Amino acid sequence: MSNKSATLFDKVWDAHVVRSIPDGPDVLFIDRHFIHEVTSPVAFLGIETRGTTVLYPQRTFATADHNTPTLNQDQPVKDPLSAKQLAALSSNAEKYGISIWALGSPKNGIVHVVGPENGITLPGMTIVCGDSHTSTHGAFGCIAFGIGTSEVEMVLASQCIMQPKPKKMRITINGTLGKAVLPKDVALYMISQITASGATGYFCEYAGEVFENMSMEGRMTVCNMSIEMGARGGMIAPDETTFNYVKGRDKAPKGEAWDKALAYWKTLKTDTGATFDKELVFDAANIEPQITYGTNPGLGTGITHSIPKATEVKDGEASYKKSLAYMDFQEGQPLLGKRIDYVFLGSCTNGRIEDFRAFARVVKGRKKADNITAWLVPGSHIVEEQIRKEGILDILTEAGFELRQPGCSACLAMNDDKIPAGKYAVSTSNRNFEGRQGPGARTLLASPYVAAAVAVTGVVTDPRELLTEA
Amino acid sequence: MAYDKFTVLRSSAVPMPIENVDTDQIIPARFLKATERKGFGDNLFRDWRYNSDDTPKKDFILNNPVYSGKILVGGKNFGSGSSREHAAWAIYDYGFRCVVSSFFADIFKGNSLNVGILPVTVSEAFLDKIFKAIEADPNTRIEVNLPDQTITLLATGEREKFDINGYKKHNLMNGYDDIDYLQAMKGDIQSFAAASLY
């Protein structure tokens, strides 16, 4: 076995199999388990009803994010149901000895932002959370994926879950990204090419120069969106960029433990000759800033393009027409110049410091367009602090923008940050489903550059026109 | 949470021939605020089913009394998006025990099996056949036979086999869940944890 070439995915998966059930799933040991207020209360109820307990509380980390307000976090949460969920998370964490960054804690933020920034996420781990964007942590060479509440209960009770081993796909992109093309554009491009279900049943590895040259923040954006093409998760082999990011973080190993871990992490790459069930290759030169126009993340295109005709898309015609009707778009309509009402910068996809740097680069010296309501929501208090420290807040304020407090916010609109019915939002989040950002809301997904270009012009604008010096 | 055992289900079905039915449509996020698993069926497909003033939308299939049954038949890529198990709870709570499609999103499929819903993957051709049969006769009876792993249009006897792993099949047929199994192998898990790098 050990002489056989293996993929990164095989190496990490096989290292975590406690048992393979014949004609059944593998029992997979979970190194880190993240929980939040929405998908955990029923799991804790299950633990209680069963009369069992949490097996390894030190391997689970709790943060409040989905339901939290992004204004006045120092005051009691007004919505009684949200308040009850947040209270349940805190009391469950306390009862079972799970560490928690509750609302108001200086380390609070979106689960997929705070895990990596505090060194809880380490290369080669298995990581799960009752949230589909857990795939984010794959940026560190982890097998990380979203689970349902029954599985949250499973992990609490046994630190394991049962999963059939998925098939393996590798997506390679070589070359250099063009001007104003961000990791989000790479993700949206891949999804538009293979559709919102094109990677279902697979676990993806991203390889090639584009990902090798990407920052950890960028890799997290790409891996985050893996689920939007149906993949269970996506991963990138850890390298010096990864090790430099992890080193010195709060919960990362130190001293001898670091050296031991590092030696292991350096083995975590796909061997030459290892095979995948499916291989796809794209060219970086073909990727321009992207934007979506439909109601699944696969319905996107280059920003200078027009909305395709029903005959040109891979989705069924009826679904496609339903999608355009919801968006009130026409086949063949150009996207540039479309008037927009809201801009959302944030979420576990694009709520990190680099995303705010990018947004600031575009809006610097410009003013927010009058027709735009902008919600700028950092992914965590640590990101928020960095925004202040780097002078980004001054640039944003000068341009007429305000910064809100961290949380998932308008990405799924569980709190008050709902886009009103019929309004158009250019959003750096991950899903443009019907009603995702509020009942009747119309979402166009894009990168922080595109969001910023829209925020200062009021219409869909190619950021390359505004980034003259870059 | 305990669920009813699944063996053979004979029922009429509700057709939803739309692709990419995502879990935000099955249960919108604003209905995920419960701390108990109760009442999710009322909000199944909430925004497709009701107007903003809570009156039912007449043209939505669940509001059409002609269609009923314990089987929901959906278009390709059913259950994509969020990992919310609430989507499966809503479907179960509404009264469906089986969802048929040509293609399921991975997380939704796993969640369904864990709550006692059988996801049946059929070929595109057979899915089309089911839709056409229901279109012709809304009372079309379908048999989903888990022990035999078959789905049959009872009027014509047209039938297709479906896949499910033996472990999950056994669980569904007996109403077992994974935690019972995992707790029985606690010793193995503890030895594994002791050797973990992290």
Side-chain angles (χ1 to χ4, degrees):
Chain A
M1 271 298 274
S2 59
N3 289 330
K4 217 175 144 197
S5 348
T7 65
L8 164 65
F9 175 78
D10 288 322
K11 289 180 186 182
V12 179
W13 182 280
D14 295 348
H16 288 88
V17 175
V18 183
R19 180 185 295 176
S20 285
I21 302 173
D23 191 21
D26 285 349
V27 177
L28 209 59
F29 187 79
I30 298 303
D31 295 313
R32 290 284 182 273
H33 180 209
F34 293 107
I35 57 172
H36 60 83
E37 73 276 22
V38 175
T39 55
S40 66
V42 173
F44 281 108
L45 268 186
I47 293 282
E48 221 163 275
T49 315
R50 249 174 239 274
T52 182
T53 190
V54 178
L55 185 58
Y56 292 113
Q58 69 277 20
R59 291 181 180 272
T60 293
F61 295 83
T63 186
D65 57 5
H66 278 61
N67 237 334
T68 54
T70 56
L71 292 173
N72 306 319
Q73 289 187 347
D74 54 326
Q75 292 167 23
V77 174
K78 281 185 201 145
D79 174 14
L81 291 174
S82 301
K84 196 177 168 198
Q85 270 195 336
L86 292 164
L89 182 71
S90 293
S91 68
N92 284 326
E94 192 188 351
K95 180 173 175 187
Y96 293 103
I98 293 165
S99 78
I100 176 167
W101 291 324
L103 188 62
S105 145
K107 290 211 165 181
N108 174 255
I110 304 174
V111 55
H112 311 307
V113 176
V114 302
E117 75 187 359
N118 289 288
I120 300 171
T121 300
L122 298 172
M125 283 182 163
T126 45
I127 299 178
V128 295
C129 172
D131 184 281
S132 59
H133 292 108
T134 308
S135 59
T136 309
H137 307 265
F140 294 80
C142 296
I143 290 181
F145 53 88
I147 57 175
T149 298
S150 296
E151 291 167 315
V152 172
E153 185 184 340
M154 245 175 254
V155 179
L156 291 171
S158 72
Q159 206 56 41
C160 288
I161 60 165
M162 295 196 179
Q163 288 287 314
K165 193 174 180 178
K167 290 183 282 185
K168 291 164 288 182
M169 179 189 292
R170 178 163 61 186
I171 300 182
T172 306
I173 309 184
N174 283 316
T176 312
L177 293 174
K179 182 178 163 185
V181 176
L182 291 176
K184 179 62 164 294
D185 298 307
V186 176
L188 288 173
Y189 176 81
M190 291 190 289
I191 303 163
S192 74
Q193 294 301 302
I194 74 172
T195 80
S197 60
T200 302
Y202 290 91
F203 211 96
C204 261
E205 179 178 346
Y206 303 106
E209 292 157 2
V210 162
F211 304 108
E212 285 161 18
N213 295 330
M214 223 176 241
S215 67
M216 287 315 294
E217 284 83 355
R219 292 178 190 183
M220 283 188 250
T221 299
V222 168
C223 291
N224 172 281
M225 296 286 287
S226 301
I227 182 75
E228 306 312 334
M229 52 189 187
R232 205 56 207 275
M235 65 201 302
I236 294 172
D239 59 8
E240 288 305 317
T241 304
T242 322
F243 309 142
N244 290 334
Y245 178 98
V246 171
K247 196 167 188 180
R249 299 220 172 231
D250 193 20
K251 295 191 189 302
K254 313 271 178 333
E256 260 180 58
W258 170 264
D259 296 338
K260 186 183 165 202
L262 185 64
Y264 170 61
W265 295 342
K266 286 184 171 173
T267 68
L268 297 177
K269 50 187 155 200
T270 293
D271 300 327
T272 316
T275 54
F276 290 82
D277 300 287
K278 192 168 185 178
E279 291 242 35
L280 295 172
V281 179
F282 299 112
D283 184 350
N286 293 335
I287 308 176
E288 67 166 330
Q290 303 282 307
I291 194 158
T292 68
Y293 51 82
T295 55
N296 74 60
L299 296 175
T301 184
I303 195 162
T304 59
H305 293 214
S306 298
I307 295 169
K309 301 250 181 349
T311 47
E312 296 161 4
V313 294
K314 289 165 189 163
D315 285 45
E317 195 173 326
S319 303
Y320 185 66
K321 290 200 164 155
K322 183 177 187 299
S323 181
L324 292 192
Y326 179 84
M327 295 296 291
D328 196 19
F329 279 151
Q330 314 299 322
E331 296 174 45
Q333 182 180 342
L335 287 154
L336 286 174
K338 170 70 196 169
R339 192 181 159 93
I340 300 298
D341 310 296
Y342 283 78
V343 165
F344 173 54
L345 173 67
S347 84
C348 58
T349 312
N350 282 125
R352 299 185 179 78
I353 188 63
E354 283 202 349
D355 304 312
F356 283 81
R357 286 181 193 143
F359 192 91
R361 211 168 289 143
V362 174
V363 305
K364 190 177 182 178
R366 297 188 167 94
K367 290 283 179 198
K368 184 183 79 63
D370 289 340
N371 60 306
I372 295 290
T373 302
W375 292 336
L376 277 46
V377 184
S380 71
H381 281 300
I382 290 179
V383 173
E384 187 186 7
E385 210 177 280
Q386 188 80 9
I387 289 169
R388 287 173 205 280
K389 225 189 283 171
E390 292 187 12
I392 294 171
L393 183 60
D394 300 333
I395 297 171
L396 297 175
T397 310
E398 179 66 21
F401 295 95
E402 285 166 30
L403 195 64
R404 297 170 83 102
Q405 291 168 308
C408 296
S409 179
C411 174
L412 82 166
M414 274 194 81
N415 65 359
D416 290 337
D417 307 345
K418 291 178 174 62
I419 311 290
K423 297 291 182 189
Y424 288 92
V426 166
S427 176
T428 66
S429 55
N430 40 57
R431 288 188 176 133
N432 50 2
F433 298 152
E434 284 184 30
R436 170 78 178 184
Q437 297 198 281
R442 296 169 172 150
T443 302
L444 289 79
L445 300 174
S447 76
Y449 274 160
V450 172
V454 171
V456 293
T457 60
V459 297
V460 174
T461 300
D462 189 337
R464 290 173 291 198
E465 288 172 18
L466 303 185
L467 281 167
T468 41
E469 77 285 7
Chain B
M1 188 154 175
Y3 54 82
D4 297 335
K5 295 173 191 180
F6 195 116
T7 48
V8 179
L9 175 67
R10 282 187 201 93
S11 170
S12 53
V14 178
M16 202 172 281
I18 304 164
E19 293 184 7
N20 303 312
V21 172
D22 61 72
T23 53
D24 275 82
Q25 307 319 314
I26 299 173
I27 182 105
R30 62 186 189 281
F31 300 110
L32 308 184
K33 294 187 181 186
T35 47
E36 291 173 279
R37 195 186 142 178
K38 268 187 198 157
F40 286 99
D42 296 341
N43 295 315
L44 175 67
F45 291 112
R46 180 78 203 192
D47 293 337
W48 285 354
R49 200 167 139 202
Y50 296 102
N51 294 302
S52 49
D53 63 359
D54 292 339
T55 54
K57 290 185 180 177
K58 288 203 174 66
D59 56 352
F60 186 60
I61 198 87
L62 292 188
N63 296 327
N64 186 341
V66 167
Y67 300 99
S68 64
K70 293 186 168 186
I71 301 169
L72 177 65
V73 189
K76 184 181 152 189
N77 197 28
F78 191 91
S80 59
S82 157
S83 62
R84 59 189 70 162
E85 192 168 298
H86 312 67
W89 297 342
I91 289 172
Y92 188 100
D93 193 37
Y94 183 87
F96 292 117
R97 293 301 316 278
C98 173
V99 185
V100 180
S101 178
S102 59
F103 198 82
F104 287 96
D106 289 331
I107 303 179
F108 176 79
K109 193 173 177 177
N111 286 343
S112 297
L113 289 164
N114 284 337
V115 306
I117 297 168
L118 177 63
V120 172
T121 308
V122 296
S123 67
E124 297 260 0
F126 199 77
L127 186 68
D128 200 43
K129 214 170 266 181
I130 298 174
F131 281 136
K132 283 197 173 123
I134 301 172
E135 201 185 327
D137 176 10
N139 297 316
T140 294
R141 303 274 298 168
I142 296 173
E143 181 191 279
V144 177
N145 186 317
L146 181 57
D148 290 349
Q149 298 178 221
T150 54
I151 174 165
T152 308
L153 285 161
L154 288 172
T156 60
E158 288 169 291
R159 167 175 303 196
E160 195 165 273
K161 288 279 277 186
F162 62 85
D163 281 337
I164 181 170
N165 74 55
Y167 169 82
K168 275 292 175 193
K169 179 176 168 177
H170 182 74
N171 273 4
L172 269 181
M173 286 175 60
N174 294 285
Y176 297 159
D177 76 12
D178 292 341
I179 299 181
D180 303 329
Y181 186 102
L182 290 167
Q183 290 203 312
M185 58 178 282
K186 196 168 159 189
D188 285 4
I189 294 169
Q190 284 170 325
S191 327
F192 197 95
S196 162
L197 172 72
Y198 303 103

